[in-house]
């Protein structure tokens, strides 16, 4: 049985996806700090986008805003579940301790946990702060092997709390 809170989050996610597709691309701009963070991270990391968005919308958005330049690969809903896609990369030889999934939803967190990789949350209504923190602190900690543990758990708790409070009745 799916808890009521997760049903609400799923409903919100589906409605958000529908709304986003009706918006002009000029109104679907990335959060402040995304491009700067991707640019910085691409110097040290392979950046792979694993999204549940439809392939055309994903490609259109990332191309339009020049974000695809920083990526090694972009996968969308037609490539399989997020968990499946992560598993395929791990099967190619990526070390679980050197993979960091960045996401804004419980499905992202679940996929990361199920594959045994680290997770960095983008918390609802704090997106710009999260991208700034990733670029200026968390990414360096991750690259130095110091991200896992209490710090990562604190950030995940903040995201879960924000999602829970946003969808309580």
């Amino acid at each position: 049985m799916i808890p009521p809170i997760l049903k609400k989050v799923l409903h919100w996610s589906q409605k958000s996806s529908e709304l986003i597709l009706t918006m002009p691309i000029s109104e679907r701009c990335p959060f402040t700090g995304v491009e700067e963070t991707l640019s910085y991270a691409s110097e040290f990391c392979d950046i792979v986008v694993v999204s549940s968005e439809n392939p055309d919308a994903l490609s259109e958005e990332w191309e339009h805003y020049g974000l695809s330049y920083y990526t090694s690969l972009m996968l969308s809903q037609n490539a399989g579940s997020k968990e499946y896609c992560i598993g395929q990369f791990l099967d190619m030889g990526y070390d679980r301790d050197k993979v960091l999934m960045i996401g804004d939803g419980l499905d992202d967190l679940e996929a990361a946990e199920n594959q045994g990789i680290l997770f960095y949350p983008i918390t609802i209504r704090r997106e710009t702060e999260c991208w700034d923190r990733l670029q200026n602190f968390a990414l360096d900690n991750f690259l130095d092997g110091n991200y896992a543990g209490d710090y990562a758990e604190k950030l995940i708790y903040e995201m879960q709390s924000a999602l829970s409070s946003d969808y309580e009745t």
Side-chain angles (χ1 to χ4, degrees), residues 9 27 34 39 43-44 50 61 63 71 84 94 107 136 140 147 165:
V9 171
E27 294 178 23
V34 170
S39 174
E43 296 176 29
F44 311 100
V50 180
E61 285 175 23
E63 289 291 328
T71 66
Y84 171 81
Y94 283 90
D107 62 328
N136 294 304
D140 287 336
Y147 177 77
S165 67

Side-chain angles (χ1 to χ4, degrees), residues 3-164:
I5 187 82
L6 292 182
K7 286 182 182 179
K8 290 180 182 181
V9 171
L10 178 60
H11 177 74
W12 170 83
S13 177
Q14 291 168 336
K15 289 296 180 188
S16 294
S17 294
E18 291 170 11
L19 177 63
I20 287 169
L21 290 175
T22 65
M23 294 170 59
I25 194 152
S26 61
E27 294 178 23
R28 292 185 262 163
C29 59
F31 292 106
T32 302
V34 170
E35 182 173 8
E36 296 82 0
T37 304
L38 293 175
S39 174
Y40 176 68
S42 68
E43 296 176 29
F44 311 100
C45 307
D46 293 331
I47 298 176
V48 177
V49 177
V50 180
S51 174
S52 58
E53 191 170 16
N54 83 57
D56 294 334
L58 179 67
S59 178
E60 179 185 28
E61 285 175 23
W62 283 67
E63 289 291 328
H64 179 80
Y65 291 104
L67 301 177
S68 61
Y69 173 80
Y70 305 107
T71 66
S72 301
L73 183 63
M74 294 193 327
L75 301 171
S76 54
Q77 58 189 212
N78 62 339
S81 71
K82 293 177 182 184
E83 186 175 338
Y84 171 81
C85 291
I86 294 166
Q88 295 300 300
F89 289 109
L90 294 173
D91 288 347
M92 293 170 55
Y94 283 90
D95 182 346
R96 286 185 198 297
D97 295 333
K98 295 183 180 174
V99 176
L100 178 67
M101 180 169 190
I102 302 165
D104 62 0
L106 296 176
D107 62 328
D108 300 319
L109 174 59
E110 181 180 5
E113 287 177 340
N114 289 343
Q115 287 294 349
I117 63 172
L118 296 170
F119 180 75
Y120 179 84
I122 303 296
T123 302
I124 189 170
R125 289 185 300 284
R126 293 178 53 202
E127 293 88 353
T128 298
E129 174 189 336
C130 291
W131 283 102
D132 181 66
R133 178 176 53 209
L134 178 61
Q135 179 183 355
N136 294 304
F137 185 73
L139 186 58
D140 287 336
N141 279 344
F142 168 72
L143 293 170
D144 292 340
N146 299 318
Y147 177 77
D150 291 342
Y151 179 69
E153 290 172 16
K154 175 185 168 251
L155 297 180
I156 291 169
Y157 177 79
E158 288 175 5
M159 180 191 82
Q160 290 171 321
S161 295
L163 287 172
S164 294

